[in-house]
Amino acid sequence: MSNETSTRESIRSLVAPRDKRLLTLIAGSLLAVLASGFVQVWFGSYDMTVAQTVSVVTNPRILFNPDVWSAALLGNEFPEWMTTPQVIVWNLRMPRVFIGILVGMNLAISGAVFQAVTRNELASPYILGVSGGAGLAVLLTLVFFSSAYIVLPVVGIQFSALPFAAAVGGALAFFLVYAIAWQGGTSPVRLVLAGVIVATIFQSLQTGLFYFLDSTAAVKTAIAWTTGSLTGVDWEQFRLAALPTLFVVPAIFLAARHLNVLLLGEDTARSLGMPVELVRFGVSTLAILAAATAVSVAGLVGFVGLVVPHAVRTVVGSDYRRLVLGSLFLGPALVVVADVVARLALMPVQVPVGIVTGLIGGPYFLYLMRRNGDVSEF
C-alpha cells in the first residue's frame, strides 16, 4: 500500500511542475499576443495616440455591438456612426491580428501532429511537401489565369481563387507523398523521405514558373505568397480561415491520446489495438487541413510548424495533451510578434512575415543542434 502511495506521489510530483510550466507558457503567450496586437493596431500611416488606440479597442459600444461583429464575421457593412480611427482599427488593422492568431494556431498544431506521425522532430508541413504543393498551385493560378478570382454564376459574388488553390495544392501534395511512401503500409522514415522528394520537385517547379509571370504585380503577389505575408489581409480572409480552424483544433486536441500512442512505435501501438494506418492517415488529414488553412490566407510562413512544437516540448514534455494546448497559444504569439517586426522594422517597407519567422527559426535550430547534437527521431 505504501509503495502504491509513493508511486502516486512521484507521478504527481512530475505532473504538477509540467502543468505549472504549461500555465506559465499560456500566460506568457497571451501577454505577447495582447502586447503585439496592441502595437499592431496602434502604429500605421494614420497617426493615433496610445490613449486613442486604447479608447477604440476597449470601447464597449463597439465590443458589444452586434452590427460591428456582423460586419466582421458575416461581411456586412460597418455601422456609419463609427469614426475614422474606429474604422481604421477595426476594419483595417484588427483583422491582421486575428488572422495572425489563426495562422499561428494552425501551423503550430499541424507541425506537432506531423512530428508525432513521423516520430521525427524535423517533420513539418513544409518538409512533408504541403508548402511545395500549395505554392505551386498558387503560381499556376497566377500564370494561367489573368484574374485570380472566381465569380459564382448565380449570385455574382467574386472571391479570390488563390486561397482555394493553395488549400487544394497542399492537400494533393501530401496525398502524393502518402502514395509514394505506401508499400503495403507506411512508415515514418518513408513519409519523410517521400516528403523531401515531393517538396524538392515542387520547389523547382515553383522557381521555373516565375519565368512565366508577365507582370510586376503578379511577381510581387507570387513572392508574397511563397515567402508568407499578412499584408493587406482583411475580414474576408479571417472568415475563410475561421471555419476550418473551429473544426480542426478540437479534432486534433481530441486525437492527442492517439498521438501519444503513435510515439510509442508501430508495434506497441498495434499491440494496444490501434489501427495504426487509419489513425496515421486520419490525423495527417487534419494536419493537412490546418496547414492548408494557414497557407490559404498567409502564404508559406516557414518554421512555425517546426519551432513551436520544439519549444513547447522542452517546457511541458512530450505528452500531446499538453503539447497541443501549448502550441495553440505559443504559435499565435510567434506569428503575431513576428508580423509586428515585419511591418514596423523597415517602415514604410513591409517585410514578409515568413522572412522574420525564418530568421527566428534558423538560429533556434542551430541552438538545438549545439545543445543536443541531434534532432532526429524521438
PDB file of all heavy atoms in Angstrom, residues 23-54:
ATOM      1  N   LEU A  23       0.872  26.398 -17.769  1.00  0.00           N
ATOM      2  CA  LEU A  23       0.111  27.604 -17.453  1.00  0.00           C
ATOM      3  C   LEU A  23       0.964  28.852 -17.628  1.00  0.00           C
ATOM      4  O   LEU A  23       0.482  29.888 -18.120  1.00  0.00           O
ATOM      5  CB  LEU A  23      -0.422  27.525 -16.020  1.00  0.00           C
ATOM      6  CG  LEU A  23      -1.517  26.486 -15.770  1.00  0.00           C
ATOM      7  CD1 LEU A  23      -1.869  26.415 -14.289  1.00  0.00           C
ATOM      8  CD2 LEU A  23      -2.760  26.809 -16.594  1.00  0.00           C
ATOM      9  N   THR A  24       2.230  28.765 -17.245  1.00  0.00           N
ATOM     10  CA  THR A  24       3.135  29.904 -17.440  1.00  0.00           C
ATOM     11  C   THR A  24       3.332  30.194 -18.920  1.00  0.00           C
ATOM     12  O   THR A  24       3.337  31.359 -19.346  1.00  0.00           O
ATOM     13  CB  THR A  24       4.495  29.614 -16.777  1.00  0.00           C
ATOM     14  OG1 THR A  24       4.302  29.353 -15.382  1.00  0.00           O
ATOM     15  CG2 THR A  24       5.441  30.803 -16.933  1.00  0.00           C
ATOM     16  N   LEU A  25       3.486  29.120 -19.715  1.00  0.00           N
ATOM     17  CA  LEU A  25       3.640  29.285 -21.161  1.00  0.00           C
ATOM     18  C   LEU A  25       2.406  29.936 -21.762  1.00  0.00           C
ATOM     19  O   LEU A  25       2.506  30.855 -22.593  1.00  0.00           O
ATOM     20  CB  LEU A  25       3.886  27.919 -21.799  1.00  0.00           C
ATOM     21  CG  LEU A  25       3.916  27.869 -23.335  1.00  0.00           C
ATOM     22  CD1 LEU A  25       5.160  28.568 -23.851  1.00  0.00           C
ATOM     23  CD2 LEU A  25       3.870  26.431 -23.833  1.00  0.00           C
ATOM     24  N   ILE A  26       1.222  29.475 -21.348  1.00  0.00           N
ATOM     25  CA  ILE A  26      -0.022  30.042 -21.871  1.00  0.00           C
ATOM     26  C   ILE A  26      -0.151  31.505 -21.492  1.00  0.00           C
ATOM     27  O   ILE A  26      -0.494  32.357 -22.326  1.00  0.00           O
ATOM     28  CB  ILE A  26      -1.227  29.232 -21.353  1.00  0.00           C
ATOM     29  CG1 ILE A  26      -1.241  27.835 -21.989  1.00  0.00           C
ATOM     30  CG2 ILE A  26      -2.538  29.956 -21.649  1.00  0.00           C
ATOM     31  CD1 ILE A  26      -2.294  26.911 -21.411  1.00  0.00           C
ATOM     32  N   ALA A  27       0.144  31.824 -20.227  1.00  0.00           N
ATOM     33  CA  ALA A  27       0.041  33.214 -19.776  1.00  0.00           C
ATOM     34  C   ALA A  27       1.020  34.113 -20.520  1.00  0.00           C
ATOM     35  O   ALA A  27       0.668  35.219 -20.957  1.00  0.00           O
ATOM     36  CB  ALA A  27       0.286  33.284 -18.268  1.00  0.00           C
ATOM     37  N   GLY A  28       2.257  33.651 -20.680  1.00  0.00           N
ATOM     38  CA  GLY A  28       3.237  34.444 -21.406  1.00  0.00           C
ATOM     39  C   GLY A  28       2.860  34.646 -22.861  1.00  0.00           C
ATOM     40  O   GLY A  28       3.044  35.740 -23.422  1.00  0.00           O
ATOM     41  N   SER A  29       2.312  33.592 -23.487  1.00  0.00           N
ATOM     42  CA  SER A  29       1.899  33.702 -24.885  1.00  0.00           C
ATOM     43  C   SER A  29       0.749  34.689 -25.035  1.00  0.00           C
ATOM     44  O   SER A  29       0.722  35.490 -25.977  1.00  0.00           O
ATOM     45  CB  SER A  29       1.489  32.324 -25.413  1.00  0.00           C
ATOM     46  OG  SER A  29       2.561  31.407 -25.359  1.00  0.00           O
ATOM     47  N   LEU A  30      -0.217  34.641 -24.121  1.00  0.00           N
ATOM     48  CA  LEU A  30      -1.337  35.578 -24.171  1.00  0.00           C
ATOM     49  C   LEU A  30      -0.863  37.017 -24.023  1.00  0.00           C
ATOM     50  O   LEU A  30      -1.327  37.919 -24.741  1.00  0.00           O
ATOM     51  CB  LEU A  30      -2.354  35.241 -23.083  1.00  0.00           C
ATOM     52  CG  LEU A  30      -3.219  34.004 -23.315  1.00  0.00           C
ATOM     53  CD1 LEU A  30      -4.058  33.703 -22.078  1.00  0.00           C
ATOM     54  CD2 LEU A  30      -4.114  34.193 -24.534  1.00  0.00           C
ATOM     55  N   LEU A  31       0.066  37.248 -23.105  1.00  0.00           N
ATOM     56  CA  LEU A  31       0.605  38.600 -22.931  1.00  0.00           C
ATOM     57  C   LEU A  31       1.320  39.072 -24.191  1.00  0.00           C
ATOM     58  O   LEU A  31       1.191  40.232 -24.591  1.00  0.00           O
ATOM     59  CB  LEU A  31       1.562  38.628 -21.738  1.00  0.00           C
ATOM     60  CG  LEU A  31       0.914  38.551 -20.349  1.00  0.00           C
ATOM     61  CD1 LEU A  31       1.996  38.454 -19.263  1.00  0.00           C
ATOM     62  CD2 LEU A  31       0.039  39.779 -20.105  1.00  0.00           C
ATOM     63  N   ALA A  32       2.066  38.156 -24.826  1.00  0.00           N
ATOM     64  CA  ALA A  32       2.775  38.516 -26.058  1.00  0.00           C
ATOM     65  C   ALA A  32       1.802  38.872 -27.169  1.00  0.00           C
ATOM     66  O   ALA A  32       2.001  39.842 -27.917  1.00  0.00           O
ATOM     67  CB  ALA A  32       3.689  37.370 -26.494  1.00  0.00           C
ATOM     68  N   VAL A  33       0.720  38.106 -27.293  1.00  0.00           N
ATOM     69  CA  VAL A  33      -0.283  38.386 -28.326  1.00  0.00           C
ATOM     70  C   VAL A  33      -0.969  39.716 -28.058  1.00  0.00           C
ATOM     71  O   VAL A  33      -1.157  40.535 -28.974  1.00  0.00           O
ATOM     72  CB  VAL A  33      -1.316  37.244 -28.390  1.00  0.00           C
ATOM     73  CG1 VAL A  33      -2.496  37.642 -29.264  1.00  0.00           C
ATOM     74  CG2 VAL A  33      -0.675  35.975 -28.935  1.00  0.00           C
ATOM     75  N   LEU A  34      -1.351  39.954 -26.802  1.00  0.00           N
ATOM     76  CA  LEU A  34      -2.038  41.202 -26.469  1.00  0.00           C
ATOM     77  C   LEU A  34      -1.138  42.412 -26.702  1.00  0.00           C
ATOM     78  O   LEU A  34      -1.569  43.421 -27.289  1.00  0.00           O
ATOM     79  CB  LEU A  34      -2.505  41.158 -25.013  1.00  0.00           C
ATOM     80  CG  LEU A  34      -3.653  40.193 -24.703  1.00  0.00           C
ATOM     81  CD1 LEU A  34      -3.906  40.129 -23.194  1.00  0.00           C
ATOM     82  CD2 LEU A  34      -4.922  40.614 -25.428  1.00  0.00           C
ATOM     83  N   ALA A  35       0.117  42.317 -26.247  1.00  0.00           N
ATOM     84  CA  ALA A  35       1.033  43.448 -26.416  1.00  0.00           C
ATOM     85  C   ALA A  35       1.346  43.703 -27.887  1.00  0.00           C
ATOM     86  O   ALA A  35       1.294  44.837 -28.364  1.00  0.00           O
ATOM     87  CB  ALA A  35       2.323  43.184 -25.636  1.00  0.00           C
ATOM     88  N   SER A  36       1.640  42.643 -28.621  1.00  0.00           N
ATOM     89  CA  SER A  36       1.967  42.794 -30.042  1.00  0.00           C
ATOM     90  C   SER A  36       0.746  43.235 -30.832  1.00  0.00           C
ATOM     91  O   SER A  36       0.854  44.053 -31.757  1.00  0.00           O
ATOM     92  CB  SER A  36       2.501  41.477 -30.605  1.00  0.00           C
ATOM     93  OG  SER A  36       3.640  41.056 -29.901  1.00  0.00           O
ATOM     94  N   GLY A  37      -0.417  42.680 -30.488  1.00  0.00           N
ATOM     95  CA  GLY A  37      -1.647  43.097 -31.171  1.00  0.00           C
ATOM     96  C   GLY A  37      -1.945  44.560 -30.964  1.00  0.00           C
ATOM     97  O   GLY A  37      -2.382  45.257 -31.890  1.00  0.00           O
ATOM     98  N   PHE A  38      -1.693  45.058 -29.746  1.00  0.00           N
ATOM     99  CA  PHE A  38      -1.916  46.481 -29.481  1.00  0.00           C
ATOM    100  C   PHE A  38      -0.971  47.342 -30.316  1.00  0.00           C
ATOM    101  O   PHE A  38      -1.380  48.351 -30.900  1.00  0.00           O
ATOM    102  CB  PHE A  38      -1.729  46.781 -27.994  1.00  0.00           C
ATOM    103  CG  PHE A  38      -1.955  48.221 -27.641  1.00  0.00           C
ATOM    104  CD1 PHE A  38      -3.247  48.713 -27.480  1.00  0.00           C
ATOM    105  CD2 PHE A  38      -0.891  49.097 -27.496  1.00  0.00           C
ATOM    106  CE1 PHE A  38      -3.461  50.053 -27.172  1.00  0.00           C
ATOM    107  CE2 PHE A  38      -1.095  50.431 -27.192  1.00  0.00           C
ATOM    108  CZ  PHE A  38      -2.385  50.911 -27.019  1.00  0.00           C
ATOM    109  N   VAL A  39       0.290  46.939 -30.376  1.00  0.00           N
ATOM    110  CA  VAL A  39       1.252  47.685 -31.196  1.00  0.00           C
ATOM    111  C   VAL A  39       0.830  47.659 -32.661  1.00  0.00           C
ATOM    112  O   VAL A  39       0.934  48.664 -33.372  1.00  0.00           O
ATOM    113  CB  VAL A  39       2.673  47.099 -31.025  1.00  0.00           C
ATOM    114  CG1 VAL A  39       3.652  47.748 -32.004  1.00  0.00           C
ATOM    115  CG2 VAL A  39       3.155  47.289 -29.595  1.00  0.00           C
ATOM    116  N   GLN A  40       0.312  46.529 -33.111  1.00  0.00           N
ATOM    117  CA  GLN A  40      -0.118  46.393 -34.499  1.00  0.00           C
ATOM    118  C   GLN A  40      -1.239  47.363 -34.848  1.00  0.00           C
ATOM    119  O   GLN A  40      -1.246  47.965 -35.930  1.00  0.00           O
ATOM    120  CB  GLN A  40      -0.570  44.950 -34.742  1.00  0.00           C
ATOM    121  CG  GLN A  40      -0.863  44.586 -36.173  1.00  0.00           C
ATOM    122  CD  GLN A  40       0.385  44.454 -37.014  1.00  0.00           C
ATOM    123  OE1 GLN A  40       0.885  45.450 -37.534  1.00  0.00           O
ATOM    124  NE2 GLN A  40       0.891  43.238 -37.158  1.00  0.00           N
ATOM    125  N   VAL A  41      -2.204  47.532 -33.951  1.00  0.00           N
ATOM    126  CA  VAL A  41      -3.322  48.418 -34.251  1.00  0.00           C
ATOM    127  C   VAL A  41      -3.002  49.876 -33.914  1.00  0.00           C
ATOM    128  O   VAL A  41      -3.736  50.781 -34.321  1.00  0.00           O
ATOM    129  CB  VAL A  41      -4.602  47.983 -33.496  1.00  0.00           C
ATOM    130  CG1 VAL A  41      -5.002  46.574 -33.885  1.00  0.00           C
ATOM    131  CG2 VAL A  41      -4.440  48.091 -31.991  1.00  0.00           C
ATOM    132  N   TRP A  42      -1.922  50.103 -33.192  1.00  0.00           N
ATOM    133  CA  TRP A  42      -1.547  51.469 -32.820  1.00  0.00           C
ATOM    134  C   TRP A  42      -0.798  52.166 -33.946  1.00  0.00           C
ATOM    135  O   TRP A  42      -1.126  53.276 -34.359  1.00  0.00           O
ATOM    136  CB  TRP A  42      -0.720  51.411 -31.534  1.00  0.00           C
ATOM    137  CG  TRP A  42      -0.130  52.718 -31.088  1.00  0.00           C
ATOM    138  CD1 TRP A  42      -0.552  53.983 -31.407  1.00  0.00           C
ATOM    139  CD2 TRP A  42       0.999  52.883 -30.230  1.00  0.00           C
ATOM    140  NE1 TRP A  42       0.235  54.927 -30.808  1.00  0.00           N
ATOM    141  CE2 TRP A  42       1.200  54.275 -30.063  1.00  0.00           C
ATOM    142  CE3 TRP A  42       1.859  51.995 -29.576  1.00  0.00           C
ATOM    143  CZ2 TRP A  42       2.235  54.800 -29.288  1.00  0.00           C
ATOM    144  CZ3 TRP A  42       2.885  52.511 -28.791  1.00  0.00           C
ATOM    145  CH2 TRP A  42       3.072  53.893 -28.652  1.00  0.00           C
ATOM    146  N   PHE A  43       0.246  51.513 -34.464  1.00  0.00           N
ATOM    147  CA  PHE A  43       1.103  52.141 -35.461  1.00  0.00           C
ATOM    148  C   PHE A  43       0.513  52.001 -36.855  1.00  0.00           C
ATOM    149  O   PHE A  43      -0.138  51.016 -37.184  1.00  0.00           O
ATOM    150  CB  PHE A  43       2.496  51.505 -35.437  1.00  0.00           C
ATOM    151  CG  PHE A  43       3.365  51.992 -34.315  1.00  0.00           C
ATOM    152  CD1 PHE A  43       3.550  51.219 -33.186  1.00  0.00           C
ATOM    153  CD2 PHE A  43       3.978  53.229 -34.387  1.00  0.00           C
ATOM    154  CE1 PHE A  43       4.345  51.649 -32.141  1.00  0.00           C
ATOM    155  CE2 PHE A  43       4.777  53.679 -33.357  1.00  0.00           C
ATOM    156  CZ  PHE A  43       4.959  52.890 -32.229  1.00  0.00           C
ATOM    157  N   GLY A  44       0.795  52.981 -37.681  1.00  0.00           N
ATOM    158  CA  GLY A  44       0.381  52.950 -39.072  1.00  0.00           C
ATOM    159  C   GLY A  44       0.483  54.315 -39.713  1.00  0.00           C
ATOM    160  O   GLY A  44       0.901  55.297 -39.083  1.00  0.00           O
ATOM    161  N   SER A  45       0.118  54.381 -40.985  1.00  0.00           N
ATOM    162  CA  SER A  45       0.189  55.656 -41.700  1.00  0.00           C
ATOM    163  C   SER A  45      -0.773  56.686 -41.130  1.00  0.00           C
ATOM    164  O   SER A  45      -0.562  57.894 -41.253  1.00  0.00           O
ATOM    165  CB  SER A  45      -0.102  55.438 -43.192  1.00  0.00           C
ATOM    166  OG  SER A  45      -1.367  54.817 -43.358  1.00  0.00           O
ATOM    167  N   TYR A  46      -1.864  56.206 -40.505  1.00  0.00           N
ATOM    168  CA  TYR A  46      -2.784  57.117 -39.820  1.00  0.00           C
ATOM    169  C   TYR A  46      -2.351  57.205 -38.359  1.00  0.00           C
ATOM    170  O   TYR A  46      -2.446  56.240 -37.606  1.00  0.00           O
ATOM    171  CB  TYR A  46      -4.226  56.604 -39.921  1.00  0.00           C
ATOM    172  CG  TYR A  46      -5.258  57.533 -39.310  1.00  0.00           C
ATOM    173  CD1 TYR A  46      -5.857  58.525 -40.074  1.00  0.00           C
ATOM    174  CD2 TYR A  46      -5.617  57.408 -37.968  1.00  0.00           C
ATOM    175  CE1 TYR A  46      -6.811  59.367 -39.509  1.00  0.00           C
ATOM    176  CE2 TYR A  46      -6.567  58.244 -37.401  1.00  0.00           C
ATOM    177  CZ  TYR A  46      -7.153  59.225 -38.176  1.00  0.00           C
ATOM    178  OH  TYR A  46      -8.080  60.074 -37.621  1.00  0.00           O
ATOM    179  N   ASP A  47      -1.834  58.355 -37.938  1.00  0.00           N
ATOM    180  CA  ASP A  47      -1.288  58.508 -36.596  1.00  0.00           C
ATOM    181  C   ASP A  47      -2.384  58.494 -35.537  1.00  0.00           C
ATOM    182  O   ASP A  47      -3.419  59.153 -35.674  1.00  0.00           O
ATOM    183  CB  ASP A  47      -0.504  59.817 -36.489  1.00  0.00           C
ATOM    184  CG  ASP A  47       0.776  59.781 -37.318  1.00  0.00           C
ATOM    185  OD1 ASP A  47       1.332  58.676 -37.463  1.00  0.00           O
ATOM    186  OD2 ASP A  47       1.204  60.847 -37.811  1.00  0.00           O
ATOM    187  N   MET A  48      -2.128  57.730 -34.483  1.00  0.00           N
ATOM    188  CA  MET A  48      -3.034  57.666 -33.342  1.00  0.00           C
ATOM    189  C   MET A  48      -2.214  57.664 -32.064  1.00  0.00           C
ATOM    190  O   MET A  48      -1.115  57.086 -32.011  1.00  0.00           O
ATOM    191  CB  MET A  48      -3.908  56.402 -33.397  1.00  0.00           C
ATOM    192  CG  MET A  48      -4.819  56.314 -34.599  1.00  0.00           C
ATOM    193  SD  MET A  48      -5.681  54.714 -34.697  1.00  0.00           S
ATOM    194  CE  MET A  48      -6.621  54.776 -33.167  1.00  0.00           C
ATOM    195  N   THR A  49      -2.729  58.301 -31.035  1.00  0.00           N
ATOM    196  CA  THR A  49      -2.069  58.266 -29.742  1.00  0.00           C
ATOM    197  C   THR A  49      -2.400  56.960 -29.032  1.00  0.00           C
ATOM    198  O   THR A  49      -3.326  56.233 -29.411  1.00  0.00           O
ATOM    199  CB  THR A  49      -2.517  59.448 -28.869  1.00  0.00           C
ATOM    200  OG1 THR A  49      -3.921  59.301 -28.586  1.00  0.00           O
ATOM    201  CG2 THR A  49      -2.278  60.774 -29.577  1.00  0.00           C
ATOM    202  N   VAL A  50      -1.632  56.684 -27.966  1.00  0.00           N
ATOM    203  CA  VAL A  50      -1.906  55.485 -27.179  1.00  0.00           C
ATOM    204  C   VAL A  50      -3.302  55.560 -26.580  1.00  0.00           C
ATOM    205  O   VAL A  50      -4.060  54.575 -26.587  1.00  0.00           O
ATOM    206  CB  VAL A  50      -0.848  55.318 -26.078  1.00  0.00           C
ATOM    207  CG1 VAL A  50      -1.215  54.147 -25.163  1.00  0.00           C
ATOM    208  CG2 VAL A  50       0.529  55.109 -26.668  1.00  0.00           C
ATOM    209  N   ALA A  51      -3.671  56.749 -26.056  1.00  0.00           N
ATOM    210  CA  ALA A  51      -4.996  56.910 -25.442  1.00  0.00           C
ATOM    211  C   ALA A  51      -6.104  56.687 -26.466  1.00  0.00           C
ATOM    212  O   ALA A  51      -7.123  56.043 -26.157  1.00  0.00           O
ATOM    213  CB  ALA A  51      -5.116  58.306 -24.829  1.00  0.00           C
ATOM    214  N   GLN A  52      -5.911  57.196 -27.682  1.00  0.00           N
ATOM    215  CA  GLN A  52      -6.896  56.985 -28.738  1.00  0.00           C
ATOM    216  C   GLN A  52      -7.063  55.501 -29.039  1.00  0.00           C
ATOM    217  O   GLN A  52      -8.181  54.986 -29.176  1.00  0.00           O
ATOM    218  CB  GLN A  52      -6.479  57.718 -30.012  1.00  0.00           C
ATOM    219  CG  GLN A  52      -7.131  59.061 -30.223  1.00  0.00           C
ATOM    220  CD  GLN A  52      -6.755  59.629 -31.581  1.00  0.00           C
ATOM    221  OE1 GLN A  52      -5.587  59.598 -32.000  1.00  0.00           O
ATOM    222  NE2 GLN A  52      -7.730  60.173 -32.283  1.00  0.00           N
ATOM    223  N   THR A  53      -5.932  54.817 -29.171  1.00  0.00           N
ATOM    224  CA  THR A  53      -5.974  53.394 -29.508  1.00  0.00           C
ATOM    225  C   THR A  53      -6.665  52.588 -28.417  1.00  0.00           C
ATOM    226  O   THR A  53      -7.505  51.721 -28.704  1.00  0.00           O
ATOM    227  CB  THR A  53      -4.547  52.860 -29.729  1.00  0.00           C
ATOM    228  OG1 THR A  53      -3.864  53.686 -30.673  1.00  0.00           O
ATOM    229  CG2 THR A  53      -4.577  51.433 -30.243  1.00  0.00           C
ATOM    230  N   VAL A  54      -6.319  52.868 -27.164  1.00  0.00           N
ATOM    231  CA  VAL A  54      -6.959  52.158 -26.045  1.00  0.00           C
ATOM    232  C   VAL A  54      -8.459  52.411 -26.053  1.00  0.00           C
ATOM    233  O   VAL A  54      -9.273  51.507 -25.856  1.00  0.00           O
ATOM    234  CB  VAL A  54      -6.338  52.598 -24.704  1.00  0.00           C
ATOM    235  CG1 VAL A  54      -7.139  52.017 -23.537  1.00  0.00           C
ATOM    236  CG2 VAL A  54      -4.894  52.154 -24.615  1.00  0.00           C
TER     237      VAL A  54
END
